[in-house]
Amino acid sequence: MNIDAIQNGVVIDHIKAGSGMKLCSLLGLDSTDLSVAIIRNVNSRKMGKKDIIKIDSLTSVNLDLIGYVDPGATVNIIRDGVLVKKLTLDTPDRLVNVIKCKNPRCITSCEQELPHVFRLADRAKREYRCIYCETRAG
Amino acid sequence: MKSLIDITDLDTGEIDGLIADSLDIIAHPEKYARVCERKKLATLFFEPSTRTRLSFEAAMYELGGNVLSVAGSGTSSAAKGESVADTARVVSCYADIIAMRHPKEGAALVAAMNSSVPVINAGDGGHCHPTQTLADLLTVYREKGRLSGLTVGVCGDLKFGRTVHSLIGAMSRSDDMKFVLVSPAELKLPSYVKNETLKKRSIPYYQTEDLDSVMPELDILYMTRIQRERFFNEEDYLRLRDSYILTPEKLKRAKPDMCVMHPLPRVNEISVAVDDDPRACYFKQVLNGKYIRMALIIKLLREAGRL
């Protein structure tokens, strides 16, 4: 399979195999007009298999969301065919409007335009809790 | 600007300070009779409450201050759909400090994020009720002379019981504490409270459904009500509400100096016959609640530069 190299755009690389579709959906890339390629199960020396997302546009992507879904992913910015920036991600300390609190008793269930904010409660377990009601994400 | 949303917003030094200030208020009430003169406390209660609202209002009046009161969402701007954030912004234009109760968890935090004056969480759903915890701590201190080296039994609704979560959070910061968690299986203490508080701090604890067997080892017995308003299902409430009823007969096995505490209101979980037992401390908690709310109002107003 051959996907052309992009001239100006974003490549999300080193995504855990099988997570590419989910990440694409959470980033809203499945409902944009941008040219997006999801390449699944690519051979990788480091990871065995990996997924890659290529976006043929210098659009901004939510790094916190990518870090939340897969902290091992990398984000490469390509300009005029040249790699100009390579970002390695980490599990973010705070998530703002990345995931929603599912607790029906939480103030986020009724307060207009209140951002859904989660804090990293346990880094080892990658466990997040809503800052308002302490409910665990997921 | 400091608000009080969760009991952990106060470090142990600040809690010790509030207890010391409360003891001074109790000993010398005349010194404090005009401390908050010309200051206004707004009590915003969007959920039914009698004692907590009256306690805040009595506290402010005894400090010489005034009270602006909204009780019930049906009579307030909330009925028109105003957000908590906007309500806090508006009310902080009128008042020097706000005490708020709201049925939604996290509402007080949203108010504090948008208010220009200190906000005291007077209960946000089943989440936190820090001033009840302060009242509990002052009661324990006055009855036992210390906040450490105690075996505390908490009994009843440990799942939705916000007072229990806050009390465990506060007392687990003291030395040599032990907790006995007594509840029906459906109302056990949430795992996050156990993991992030008890296990994290290596506090000894165990869970049981049998109150009678643990009674002899307790220094404090903290009873709670099974709260109808926390259940989505009436059948579950009816099945669990009579799980534990404390009677003089059951108290025979307790230490002679054990304290029986309860955040009130009680329904039937403590028999009225227990009220005359010298170990019954739940009405003392009510009075202590007023004193420590007085100390808290002074502290927050001073820190906000309003006193």
Side-chain angles (χ1 to χ4, degrees):
Chain A
M1 183 179 170
N2 188 24
I3 303 276
D4 290 341
I6 56 177
Q7 286 298 302
N8 291 289
V10 180
V11 177
I12 308 170
D13 200 354
H14 302 107
I15 305 166
K16 195 168 74 178
S19 297
M21 296 290 273
K22 178 185 173 190
L23 185 55
C24 193
S25 171
L26 288 170
L27 287 169
L29 296 172
D30 54 352
S31 57
T32 71
D33 295 333
L34 300 173
S35 295
V36 178
I38 306 170
I39 315 169
R40 300 179 63 197
N41 298 317
V42 179
N43 288 326
S44 163
R45 269 182 302 163
K46 274 200 301 191
M47 302 171 68
K49 295 279 184 187
K50 67 177 181 179
D51 289 357
I52 300 172
I53 298 173
K54 290 188 173 188
I55 310 165
D56 196 15
S57 168
L58 282 166
T59 185
S60 60
V61 289
N62 187 332
L63 298 176
D64 283 347
L65 191 153
I66 301 170
Y68 170 67
V69 174
D70 188 348
T74 55
V75 177
N76 303 293
I77 311 296
I78 316 288
R79 203 180 292 275
D80 298 327
V82 177
L83 175 66
V84 293
K85 193 181 274 185
K86 181 168 187 151
L87 302 167
T88 54
L89 304 174
D90 195 1
T91 305
D93 293 329
R94 202 172 167 87
L95 299 173
V96 180
N97 287 333
V98 170
I99 45 177
K100 286 188 179 295
C101 183
K102 292 178 180 167
N103 175 9
R105 299 181 180 91
C106 180
I107 186 68
T108 53
S109 68
C110 63
E111 183 83 353
Q112 190 183 5
E113 294 180 36
L114 184 65
H116 287 243
V117 184
F118 283 74
R119 65 178 173 83
L120 183 61
D122 188 324
R123 187 170 290 277
K125 293 181 187 167
R126 296 182 61 222
E127 182 178 292
Y128 285 88
R129 290 198 176 276
C130 173
I131 65 162
Y132 305 104
C133 69
E134 302 285 330
T135 296
R136 190 171 58 191
Chain B
M1 183 188 53
K2 193 174 181 89
S3 288
L4 178 63
I5 306 304
D6 186 303
I7 192 66
T8 55
D9 293 339
L10 298 170
D11 62 33
T12 51
E14 289 178 300
I15 290 176
D16 290 345
L18 285 171
I19 289 174
D21 291 347
S22 303
L23 296 176
D24 197 53
I25 289 169
I26 294 165
H28 308 288
E30 70 286 352
K31 264 171 57 180
Y32 297 87
R34 300 179 70 174
V35 167
C36 288
E37 207 165 38
R38 298 175 64 82
K39 301 300 171 192
K40 293 186 287 290
L41 165 76
T43 53
L44 307 180
F45 279 65
F46 300 103
E47 191 179 53
S49 163
T50 306
R51 68 203 68 251
T52 305
R53 184 166 61 84
L54 293 184
S55 180
F56 271 107
E57 294 181 0
M60 193 57 171
Y61 283 128
E62 291 202 20
L63 293 168
N66 295 304
V67 173
L68 307 171
S69 189
V70 174
S73 56
T75 58
S76 72
S77 56
K80 299 175 187 168
E82 187 176 47
S83 66
V84 169
D86 283 359
T87 302
R89 281 193 199 103
V90 169
V91 173
S92 58
C93 296
Y94 304 137
D96 297 283
I97 188 166
I98 295 170
M100 190 176 102
R101 169 167 291 189
H102 196 283
K104 291 291 184 182
E105 300 174 13
L109 176 61
V110 173
M113 289 160 70
N114 290 280
S115 169
S116 56
V117 301
V119 173
I120 302 172
N121 184 2
D124 58 342
H127 185 220
C128 293
H129 192 2
T131 60
Q132 178 65 52
T133 307
L134 290 173
D136 298 340
L137 294 174
L138 179 59
T139 304
V140 171
Y141 187 83
R142 292 186 74 190
E143 297 301 315
K144 309 302 281 185
R146 65 189 192 282
L147 292 178
S148 58
L150 297 166
T151 298
V152 180
V154 286
C155 176
D157 176 4
L158 309 189
K159 183 178 180 183
F160 299 116
R162 59 192 170 196
T163 55
V164 169
H165 302 172
S166 295
L167 183 70
I168 290 173
M171 295 207 78
S172 63
R173 292 187 288 185
S174 300
D175 296 330
D176 301 324
M177 296 300 297
K178 180 181 173 183
F179 290 92
V180 182
L181 312 175
V182 187
S183 72
E186 295 92 332
L187 296 176
K188 278 184 177 176
L189 194 70
S191 57
Y192 80 89
V193 180
K194 283 182 274 191
N195 292 337
E196 292 186 15
T197 304
L198 297 173
K199 287 181 183 171
K200 197 172 181 179
R201 293 173 188 157
S202 303
I203 309 283
Y205 74 93
Y206 65 91
Q207 302 180 95
T208 177
E209 294 184 29
D210 183 5
L211 175 62
D212 292 351
S213 68
V214 301
M215 191 73 84
E217 62 179 292
L218 304 178
D219 297 307
I220 308 280
L221 172 58
Y222 196 96
M223 297 292 293
T224 61
R225 176 171 59 101
I226 311 285
Q227 301 172 86
R228 181 194 291 263
E229 60 269 32
R230 303 293 169 225
F231 286 85
F232 288 129
N233 183 337
E234 181 75 2
E235 282 174 20
D236 287 345
Y237 166 71
L238 294 173
R239 185 167 50 82
L240 295 169
R241 67 176 179 180
D242 295 334
S243 298
Y244 300 101
I245 298 174
L246 187 66
T247 60
E249 187 64 28
K250 290 183 178 176
L251 267 181
K252 283 179 182 168
R253 301 191 50 167
K255 290 180 182 177
D257 62 344
M258 186 186 80
C259 291
V260 180
M261 297 173 64
H262 190 298
L264 301 181
R266 71 174 154 185
V267 179
N268 63 347
E269 56 278 2
I270 300 178
S271 162
V272 174
V274 173
D275 295 357
D276 295 330
D277 191 298
R279 290 169 289 192
C281 296
Y282 28 93
F283 292 113
K284 294 178 185 175
Q285 277 170 269
V286 177
L287 194 55
N288 288 329
K290 183 189 69 175
Y291 291 129
I292 206 150
R293 287 182 179 103
M294 290 169 75
L296 178 67
I297 289 168
I298 294 171
K299 173 185 168 65
L300 294 181
L301 285 175
R302 282 199 176 132
E303 289 182 5
R306 288 177 173 264
L307 271 190

